Amino acid sequence: MSRQQSQYDIGLDKTPANYVPLTPLSFIARSAAVYPDHLSAVYEGRSFTWSETYERCRRVASYLAGRGIGEGDTVAAMLPNVPAMNELHFAVSMAGAVLNALNIRLDAPSIAFQLDHGGAKIILVDPEFSSVIAEALNLMKQPRPFVIDVDDAAFSGGKRIGETEYERALSEGDPSFKPRMPDDEWDAIALSYTSGTTGNPKGVVTHHRGAYLNAVSNILAGNLGQHPVYLWTLPMFHCNGWCFPWTVAAAAGTNVCLRKVDPSKIFELIQRHGVTHMCGAPIVYNTLINAADAPKGAKAPRVVGLIAGAAPPVAVLEGAESIGIRLTHVYGLTEVYGPASVCAEQPNWLPTSARN
Amino acid sequence: MSRQQSQYDIGLDKTPANYVPLTPLSFIARSAAVYPDHLSAVYEGRSFTWSETYERCRRVASYLAGRGIGEGDTVAAMLPNVPAMNELHFAVSMAGAVLNALNIRLDAPSIAFQLDHGGAKIILVDPEFSSVIAEALNLMKQPRPFVIDVDDAAFSGGKRIGETEYERALSEGDPSFKPRMPDDEWDAIALSYTSGTTGNPKGVVTHHRGAYLNAVSNILAGNLGQHPVYLWTLPMFHCNGWCFPWTVAAAAGTNVCLRKVDPSKIFELIQRHGVTHMCGAPIVYNTLINAADAPKGAKAPRVVGLIAGAAPPVAVLEGAESIGIRLTHVYGLTEVYGPASVCAEQPNWLPTSARN
């Protein structure tokens, strides 16, 4: 490449040594500093502020670091959309490690393959999935990870299989732990496995820079504004919830956590917390549209929903609008952090009076 | 730095060779592709769509390239907030060059210093400032730049001093010119001079990455959403209008151009175009607040205004609200692209009923 010498060519060849890497870890630090008392997450009887969530993440990172977890290490999680899963999206990288969020619908052999392949040193497990994880650990060929149970008072059943429990580990961590920022924004932040339709799952490694940019892109493309109230209908294990754990932190919003897709529960949460945004596959919206107790007419909420997959039929768009959910179609894949294309609403699609 | 060897350390030491640089040029390309017919700029009797603005920028870039302008070259502009000034924020870097936006309030010796120091090869001049530029050119010690007049039917007075006129140059350019994207996001995009309170003005060189990130930050911090209608009360020569030419392109908004701060004109434009956002120094808002014809009560608009400088007194905040402008205080400097700190509104500052 021929670059003429000029006053602007001052020998800064590529990235300067003292640059500030783009990382989603800056989002949570800012929200905790600027909006410390704003609700970060609600789940069943529990709620947290951004100050509390930031402290919890630092405690977990401290605990992980104390167990020798650091750069290049993998921490796996087999969790539904509970607060701990959101926290791990920050805590693991605060320790310098990489989060491997496992698909909770997979069977033991598939999980065992991923744990072996990804080299997980620690795994966090929800009681609902402890038996499949126990089976997977038995199938592993590589050294087994250290197991941490993540108890949930809202789930009855399952059993502990771990060597400690999440809240206990967290309580042992240092609340003033200094998060380890990446020294390179291209450093890995997460490891996600594709569904492996043509063989074994393929590992996709994403980086801090991409996670930062896609998290911000979600705000821009989805018109999230500040303080969105985000309902967790999309699994956080699915391309890291399309980067929305980082998006909600960037927008200082509130994560409305949800263990499983249950229409009555969803309608209740939307109403109680004033949900503004949600994401999901077509099946999620179809389930809501067809629910007998779906709120309609004057009772319908006003929620913006992102829907992935093939272009949704008009019946789905209309059905969702009838229950107060305005859909935008997106499409993407694990390799690009989730949604990569969006059906951008055109200003002339609706009469002015009907626009938000 | 001790980095352990791991599966994530795959030899990608720092930035990969095939990365996509962050640059505001991606914003205008997207808005032209996704919202081709959306209004990009209005000024007096003229208006442009994003498709048209993109084509005009490519024509200007083509013209500049045809005159030998490329990487490392400086193009200066002595223009008020007219559409051409917005276009140059894209066109100059599309040719690979660096935009030096000159403070239209400076005298000839200060301008001559900047043109000499920045090595401008071309200068674009508004008729209102042609005499000061003619004087500055005479004071220069270095080779004089090629001069392009930018006519304005809305301004009577001044005279042409250039070798061609902007619209003529534009018409000679190739509308399908392929913008030259930076091969490094740390490449220079603009050169701005500080006010030089302790001597001669100091040149500040900003880069594509910073311009991209600050442009996006304006959307996030200012809650711009999509399709903001942005009134140009802040000079575009001032830290490149705090990056707002690039911000408005990123948000596919509309630039409401304005030659000078004139309260009656401003109230008329706010009402006619449905202005949603504006920026300015305290003096701008004070002028509006004290204007006899300021719309109040039911006639007041709903505009979000960013105000820079020292913390505004309560009287200014209240005065602005009484004429429909809700202020947010920001502070920054040329070296950081404009606003670097923002007085983030806290959720508990207003009763829920009063929130947007």
Side-chain angles (χ1 to χ4, degrees):
Chain A
M1 184 177 343
S2 69
R3 291 182 62 161
Q4 67 185 98
Q5 201 61 31
S6 83
Q7 62 183 337
Y8 298 110
D9 208 359
I10 55 172
L12 265 185
D13 198 18
K14 304 294 170 189
T15 312
N18 63 345
Y19 85 118
V20 178
L22 301 178
T23 167
L25 292 182
S26 63
F27 301 148
I28 189 171
R30 179 179 187 273
S31 285
V34 178
Y35 305 106
D37 300 325
H38 193 76
L39 274 185
S40 58
V42 293
Y43 177 63
E44 299 297 339
R46 307 180 74 185
S47 68
F48 305 98
T49 64
W50 277 109
S51 170
E52 290 168 344
T53 291
Y54 188 46
E55 181 185 312
R56 287 171 60 85
C57 291
R58 285 187 293 174
R59 282 180 177 274
V60 174
S62 163
Y63 176 85
L64 294 174
R67 288 207 64 85
I69 296 296
E71 188 167 347
D73 290 327
T74 305
V75 174
M78 184 77 161
L79 298 169
N81 290 344
V82 291
M85 185 60 154
N86 181 52
E87 290 160 3
L88 289 167
H89 275 80
F90 301 92
V92 171
S93 50
M94 281 180 184
V98 174
L99 176 65
N100 173 211
L102 299 164
N103 185 336
I104 57 177
R105 296 174 198 137
L106 292 181
D107 59 12
S110 297
I111 296 289
F113 171 85
Q114 294 184 26
L115 295 177
D116 276 337
H117 188 267
K121 292 201 172 150
I122 288 187
I123 183 170
L124 294 103
V125 184
D126 182 88
E128 187 173 349
F129 313 109
S130 58
S131 61
V132 70
I133 291 299
E135 192 184 341
L137 294 175
N138 281 330
L139 294 172
M140 283 185 70
K141 298 182 181 76
Q142 303 294 328
R144 294 183 191 177
F146 178 85
V147 180
I148 302 175
D149 292 301
V150 181
D151 284 354
D152 184 354
F155 179 77
S156 57
K159 59 173 183 183
R160 288 190 178 176
I161 60 167
E163 290 152 88
T164 188
E165 198 278 325
Y166 184 70
E167 293 295 334
R168 180 174 160 189
L170 187 151
S171 71
E172 292 169 11
D174 177 3
S176 60
F177 177 80
K178 191 173 181 319
R180 179 168 170 175
M181 304 301 264
D183 38 52
D184 184 335
E185 66 192 25
W186 301 91
D187 280 351
I189 190 169
L191 166 66
S192 300
Y193 284 86
T194 63
S195 48
T197 40
T198 56
N200 279 326
K202 313 292 185 294
V204 174
V205 177
T206 52
H207 45 69
H208 284 258
R209 174 181 164 110
Y212 176 104
L213 292 172
N214 280 273
V216 167
S217 176
N218 283 337
I219 298 177
L220 302 181
N223 254 329
L224 262 66
Q226 286 184 1
H227 311 305
V229 180
Y230 182 82
L231 179 65
W232 273 104
T233 33
L234 179 82
M236 286 194 219
F237 69 72
H238 188 213
C239 318
N240 299 110
W242 300 353
C243 294
F244 270 89
W246 302 312
T247 292
V248 177
T254 302
N255 293 283
V256 179
C257 294
L258 182 71
R259 169 169 280 276
K260 65 171 183 177
V261 171
D262 170 341
S264 300
K265 183 92 176 173
I266 286 172
F267 297 132
E268 179 206 328
L269 291 174
I270 288 176
Q271 216 241 318
R272 187 194 306 168
H273 300 294
V275 168
T276 59
H277 294 80
M278 61 187 288
C279 298
I283 181 71
V284 171
Y285 294 104
N286 276 322
T287 304
L288 297 180
I289 293 166
N290 295 321
D293 55 350
K296 300 192 179 186
K299 289 184 184 168
R302 285 176 68 87
V303 179
V304 170
L306 297 187
I307 182 170
V314 172
V316 172
L317 298 175
E318 286 183 345
E321 286 194 13
S322 76
I323 60 169
I325 302 174
R326 185 139 167 213
L327 292 180
T328 289
H329 180 225
V330 297
Y331 188 76
L333 53 161
T334 306
E335 289 83 343
V336 294
Y337 302 80
S341 69
V342 57
C343 180
E345 183 176 314
Q346 296 295 308
N348 62 352
W349 277 0
L350 285 176
T352 305
S353 61
R355 281 184 218 161
N356 279 334
Chain B
M1 186 176 343
S2 70
R3 292 182 62 160
Q4 67 185 97
Q5 200 62 30
S6 83
Q7 63 182 336
Y8 298 111
D9 207 358
I10 55 174
L12 263 186
D13 197 18
K14 305 293 171 188
T15 312
N18 64 344
Y19 85 117
V20 178
L22 301 178
T23 167
L25 292 181
S26 64
F27 300 148
I28 190 171
R30 180 179 186 272
S31 285
V34 177
Y35 304 106
D37 300 327
H38 194 76
L39 274 186
S40 57
V42 293
Y43 177 64
E44 301 295 342
R46 306 180 76 185
S47 68
F48 305 97
T49 64
W50 277 108
S51 170
E52 290 167 343
T53 291
Y54 188 45
E55 182 186 309
R56 287 171 59 84
C57 292
R58 284 187 294 173
R59 282 180 178 274
V60 173
S62 163
Y63 175 84
L64 294 174
R67 288 206 64 85
I69 297 296
E71 189 167 349
D73 291 327
T74 305
V75 174
M78 184 78 163
L79 299 169
N81 289 345
V82 291
M85 185 59 154
N86 182 52
E87 290 160 4
L88 289 168
H89 274 80
F90 300 93
V92 171
S93 50
M94 282 180 182
V98 173
L99 177 64
N100 173 210
L102 299 165
N103 184 336
I104 57 177
R105 296 174 199 138
L106 292 182
D107 58 14
S110 297
I111 296 289
F113 171 85
Q114 294 185 25
L115 294 177
D116 275 337
H117 188 267
K121 293 202 173 148
I122 289 186
I123 183 170
L124 294 103
V125 184
D126 182 87
E128 187 173 348
F129 312 109
S130 58
S131 61
V132 70
I133 292 299
E135 193 185 339
L137 294 175
N138 280 330
L139 293 172
M140 284 184 71
K141 298 183 182 74
Q142 303 293 326
R144 294 182 191 178
F146 179 84
V147 180
I148 301 175
D149 292 300
V150 181
D151 285 354
D152 184 354
F155 179 77
S156 57
K159 59 175 182 180
R160 287 190 178 177
I161 60 167
E163 289 152 89
T164 187
E165 198 279 324
Y166 184 70
E167 292 295 334
R168 179 174 160 189
L170 188 151
S171 71
E172 291 169 13
D174 178 2
S176 60
F177 176 81
K178 191 173 181 320
R180 179 168 171 176
M181 303 302 263
D183 38 54
D184 185 335
E185 67 193 25
W186 301 91
D187 280 351
I189 190 169
L191 166 66
S192 300
Y193 284 85
T194 62
S195 47
T197 39
T198 56
N200 279 325
K202 312 293 185 294
V204 174
V205 177
T206 51
H207 45 69
H208 284 258
R209 173 182 165 110
Y212 176 105
L213 292 172
N214 281 273
V216 167
S217 175
N218 283 337
I219 299 177
L220 303 181
N223 255 329
L224 263 66
Q226 287 183 1
H227 311 306
V229 180
Y230 181 82
L231 178 65
W232 272 105
T233 33
L234 179 82
M236 286 194 219
F237 70 71
H238 189 213
C239 319
N240 299 111
W242 301 354
C243 293
F244 270 87
W246 302 312
T247 293
V248 177
T254 302
N255 293 284
V256 179
C257 294
L258 182 70
R259 169 170 278 276
K260 65 171 183 177
V261 172
D262 169 341
S264 300
K265 183 90 175 178
I266 287 173
F267 296 132
E268 178 206 329
L269 291 174
I270 288 175
Q271 215 243 320
R272 188 194 305 169
H273 300 294
V275 167
T276 58
H277 294 80
M278 62 187 286
C279 298
I283 181 71
V284 171
Y285 295 104
N286 276 323
T287 304
L288 297 180
I289 293 166
N290 295 321
D293 56 349
K296 301 193 179 186
K299 288 184 184 167
R302 284 175 68 87
V303 179
V304 170
L306 298 186
I307 182 169
V314 171
V316 172
L317 298 175
E318 286 182 345
E321 288 194 13
S322 76
I323 60 168
I325 302 174
R326 186 141 165 212
L327 292 180
T328 289
H329 181 225
V330 298
Y331 188 75
L333 52 161
T334 306
E335 289 82 343
V336 293
Y337 302 80
S341 69
V342 57
C343 180
E345 183 176 314
Q346 296 296 309
N348 62 352
W349 277 359
L350 286 176
T352 307
S353 60
R355 281 184 218 161
N356 278 335

